[in-house]
């Protein structure tokens, strides 16, 4: 069985592709897709106030650092 994974908007292009897994997915099961920066920061928009993901940097040796966090003000300022 294949699954089409998508985002939380109603936009027709808000999906990351068709995927197959080694078992049937169950409601509430967590999927982790690594290296999805190309989807989460480039394809997203603030349509209907959808929150943009925060941007983090993880150095090879060190703690993750928050680079950018989006707020309601970012959404509001795009509406002018």
């Amino acid at each position: 069985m294949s699954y089409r994974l998508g985002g939380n908007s109603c936009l027709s292009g808000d999906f990351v592709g068709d995927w197959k897994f080694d078992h049937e997915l169950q409601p509430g099961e967590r999927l982790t897709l690594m290296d999805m920066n190309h989807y989460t920061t480039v394809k997203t928009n603030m349509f209907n106030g959808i929150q943009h993901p925060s941007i983090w940097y993880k150095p090879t040796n060190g703690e993750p650092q928050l680079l950018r966090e989006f707020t309601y003000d970012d959404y509001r300022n795009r509406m002018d």
Side-chain angles (χ1 to χ4, degrees):
M1 172 183 282
S2 65
Y3 298 85
R4 174 161 287 180
L5 303 181
N8 57 352
S9 80
C10 62
L11 298 173
S12 63
D14 191 10
F15 65 94
V16 295
D18 296 325
W19 295 78
K20 291 185 178 185
F21 300 93
D22 60 1
H23 65 281
E24 184 176 336
L25 299 181
Q26 300 300 311
E29 187 170 353
R30 182 180 186 145
L31 298 175
T32 302
L33 303 175
M34 307 301 284
D35 194 18
M36 292 300 293
N37 188 49
H38 62 281
Y39 171 78
T40 56
T41 58
V42 177
K43 277 190 85 170
T44 59
N45 60 64
M46 292 186 167
F47 177 75
N48 284 346
I50 291 174
Q51 181 86 24
H52 274 245
S54 298
I55 300 173
W56 288 79
Y57 168 67
K58 171 66 171 91
T60 313
N61 297 318
E63 294 295 315
Q65 302 167 13
L66 178 63
L67 298 180
R68 176 81 157 87
E69 191 168 41
F70 296 91
T71 67
Y72 175 77
D73 288 335
D74 295 301
Y75 170 71
R76 187 190 67 214
N77 292 338
R78 295 178 90 172
M79 302 307 291
D80 55 2

